[in-house]
Amino acid sequence: MADDVFSQLRPITADEWPAFTEAMHAVFAEDPPADFAERPSPVAELDRSLALWDGDRVAATAGIYSRTLTVPGAVVPCAGVTWVTVAPTHRRRGVLTAIMRRQLTELHEQQREPVAGLWAAEYPIYGRFGYAPATVEARFSGRTERLRLRPDVDLGTGRVEQVSVEEYRPAAVAVHRAVHRFVPGNMARDERWWDRQLRDDPSQRKGATARRYLLHREADGTVTGYATYRVTDSWTDTGEPDGTLIVEEVRATSTPAYAALWQLLLSVDLVRTLKYQASSPDDPLRWLVTDGRALHSTPVDGLWVRLVDVDRALATRRYPTPIDLVLEVRDPFCPWNDGRWRLSGHPAGGYCGRTDRDPDIVLGIEELSAAYLGGVSLATLQAAGRVTEVSPGAVTLASAAFGWPVTPWCPDSF
C-alpha cells in the first residue's frame, strides 16, 4: 500500500489550498485563522507541499519550508518539514511512511538540503524515519519577587526603551542577524519569517495583552538587544495584583545589554509570575539572578533533526577537537546513507566520504542525527546501548569532537 500512496502524493495548487489547510487543521483540532484558510501564507511553498486526495477531500498533508540552520561553526540549508497530517480514515495504511520516504528521497536525489528538521507533535512518531531530538527547549517559570539580578551584574551604560513594532523590527533584525549564526539550532529569518514572528492576532493572545517591544540602546544610539513580552491580568481574592509576565524572546550582543533587558522585565508592574516558554536550557539568566533555585525549568524536546545525506551534512559542520574515525552508519530508511564513512574534521573544516576501512563506531542514523548539533553526547547514547564502540576510546574522542561550547537551541517553531 505504501508504494501506491508514494505515487499518489502530489503538490497542491493555490486553488486547492482551502481544502488542504482545512484537512490539516482538522487533524490538529484547530480552526485556521480566516486569512490562512483562504490563501497560502507568505512562507508557504506549494511546490514543496504534498497532498493525498480521496475524491475531492484531502486525506494527508505535508510540506517543507526552505530554511537555513546554524550548525557547529557553520550554517547549512535545512528542509523544515511541516504540515504533516494523516486523516483518521487513512491511518495504518503506510501513508505517513510514504510521505517521509517521498520527502527524503527527493531531497537526496535533487541534492537539496543535506539536513531536515521538524517539530514533533508526538514523541514516538519520527524516530522510525531517522529523526531525533537534537535541541532542548527550556520552559522557565518563577515568582518575580524571588527573581532579582545579582548586585554585581554589569548593566553597562545603555538604556532600555519600550518602542513601537515599526521601530523595533529593523533593530531586532540586525541584532538577530548578528547573534543567530553563533548558536547551533538557530535559524535565519528573512522578511517573510519576521512577518510571521511579529504577527499579533488578537484571537491568538489567549487572554494576554498585545505584544510589547523593548530595545536596548548604547549611549551612542546603537541597538545591542531586544525583547518581546506580554502580560496577563490577574488579581487575588484580596485584591492583590497577581499578573503573569510572558516573555517571548530576549536576545542581545553583549552581557550588559542582556542583563539590562532582564532587569526591566523582572520589574514590570502588577506582575508576580514569570513564564519564558522557549528558552535555551543553558540560558545565562540562571547565572544572573541571586537565587537560581527560584527559576524553575521544565525541559522538553525541541527541534528534531535528520541527516539526509551523511557525507554532506558531516562535512559542513566544524569540530572543536580533531577527529579521524570511521563511522558505520545504519540507515535502512535511506539506504544511500547505509555503510562506512570516514569522518576527518577539525575546527576549520571537515571531510566525510565512503571507505572500506574497519569501523571505529557503529551507530544508527537516529543517533548520529541527535548528536549532529553538539547537544547530545555520543557517550550518553553509548551508555543507553544505542552506540557501539569498536576501537577503544573512539566514543570519547567522537564525543569531544561532536560537542560544541554553545548549547544548541531553536527558538523558531514552524
Side-chain angles (χ1 to χ4, degrees):
M1 179 65 180
D3 291 339
D4 293 339
V5 172
F6 189 100
S7 63
Q8 294 169 14
L9 293 166
R10 66 168 177 82
I12 63 167
T13 66
D15 290 341
E16 293 169 334
W17 174 261
F20 182 89
T21 192
E22 180 183 3
M24 175 176 61
H25 282 87
V27 172
F28 285 115
E30 298 173 341
D31 292 321
D35 57 345
F36 190 82
E38 296 167 0
R39 59 185 178 275
S41 70
V43 295
E45 300 177 41
L46 298 191
D47 61 321
R48 307 196 77 178
S49 67
L50 288 174
L52 177 66
W53 291 84
D54 185 357
D56 60 353
R57 292 180 60 252
V58 176
T61 65
I64 288 177
Y65 295 125
S66 304
R67 304 301 306 265
T68 301
L69 174 70
T70 300
V71 301
V75 295
V76 60
C78 176
V81 175
T82 187
W83 306 342
V84 179
T85 67
V86 179
T89 53
H90 288 69
R91 294 195 180 134
R92 308 294 183 266
R93 301 187 188 182
V95 174
L96 181 57
T97 298
I99 288 172
M100 294 287 105
R101 180 164 284 118
R102 171 78 173 261
Q103 287 185 328
L104 293 168
T105 299
E106 290 185 349
L107 290 173
H108 168 67
E109 291 180 346
Q110 298 170 11
Q111 288 289 283
R112 297 194 67 160
E113 295 92 341
V115 177
L118 56 79
W119 291 82
E122 295 182 81
Y123 197 101
I125 295 175
Y126 292 100
R128 56 197 171 110
F129 307 119
Y131 287 90
T135 73
V136 172
E137 183 178 83
R139 297 182 176 178
F140 286 120
S141 62
R143 298 292 288 178
T144 54
E145 66 265 21
R146 294 182 60 192
L147 293 172
R148 292 289 179 264
L149 299 191
R150 297 192 333 265
D152 61 334
V153 169
D154 180 9
L155 298 175
T157 59
R159 66 186 186 279
V160 178
E161 304 172 345
Q162 188 159 329
V163 298
S164 67
V165 65
E166 291 79 14
E167 186 175 0
Y168 169 89
R169 178 167 176 158
V173 167
V175 171
H176 184 269
R177 188 179 297 122
V179 300
H180 89 273
R181 294 173 64 92
F182 298 99
V183 184
N186 272 211
M187 292 189 167
R189 299 175 186 168
D190 62 20
E191 290 301 306
R192 299 168 307 139
W193 285 98
W194 274 105
D195 287 343
R196 172 167 157 158
Q197 182 78 15
L198 298 178
R199 180 171 176 160
D200 191 13
D201 189 335
S203 66
Q204 304 297 313
R205 292 174 185 166
K206 300 180 180 180
T209 62
R211 183 181 293 115
R212 296 172 181 175
Y213 304 92
L214 302 176
L215 293 179
H216 180 272
R217 296 185 191 276
E218 301 298 333
D220 63 0
T222 303
V223 174
T224 51
Y226 67 82
T228 57
Y229 71 97
R230 305 177 189 272
V231 177
T232 58
D233 179 31
S234 182
W235 301 82
T236 68
D237 292 340
T238 58
E240 294 295 318
D242 194 28
T244 299
L245 181 81
I246 303 170
V247 177
E248 294 183 339
E249 189 170 24
V250 187
R251 305 299 292 268
T253 59
S254 72
T255 298
Y258 193 73
L261 286 164
W262 274 110
Q263 183 186 53
L264 188 145
L265 289 167
L266 294 174
S267 62
V268 173
D269 288 339
L270 309 182
V271 163
R272 297 296 181 267
T273 300
L274 162 75
K275 289 187 177 181
Y276 187 16
Q277 297 295 289
S279 175
S280 165
D282 201 23
D283 195 293
L285 178 61
R286 188 181 298 281
W287 299 95
L288 290 172
V289 297
T290 58
D291 185 356
R293 289 183 182 175
L295 191 64
H296 307 293
S297 176
T298 301
V300 297
D301 52 293
L303 183 71
W304 288 56
V305 166
R306 211 275 188 209
L307 304 192
V308 178
D309 289 313
V310 165
D311 52 346
R312 292 197 295 146
L314 293 184
T316 299
R317 61 154 288 175
R318 303 295 182 256
Y319 301 87
T321 62
I323 182 173
D324 191 352
L325 295 173
V326 174
L327 308 178
E328 182 172 313
V329 179
R330 294 175 178 171
D331 190 356
F333 198 73
C334 295
W336 56 84
N337 286 325
D338 219 51
R340 297 175 183 178
W341 300 91
R342 178 188 175 188
L343 172 62
S344 176
H346 47 76
Y351 162 82
C352 184
R354 289 281 185 186
T355 183
D356 57 3
R357 282 173 39 184
D358 291 339
D360 299 297
I361 294 173
V362 179
L363 75 172
I365 191 66
E366 191 179 353
E367 290 70 39
L368 186 58
S369 297
Y372 182 63
L373 295 182
V376 179
S377 169
L378 288 171
T380 299
L381 294 171
Q382 180 194 27
R386 298 181 60 167
V387 170
T388 300
E389 181 178 75
V390 179
S391 300
V395 168
T396 298
L397 174 60
S399 297
F402 270 84
W404 198 249
V406 180
T407 301
W409 162 54
C410 184
D412 295 276
S413 60
F414 48 83

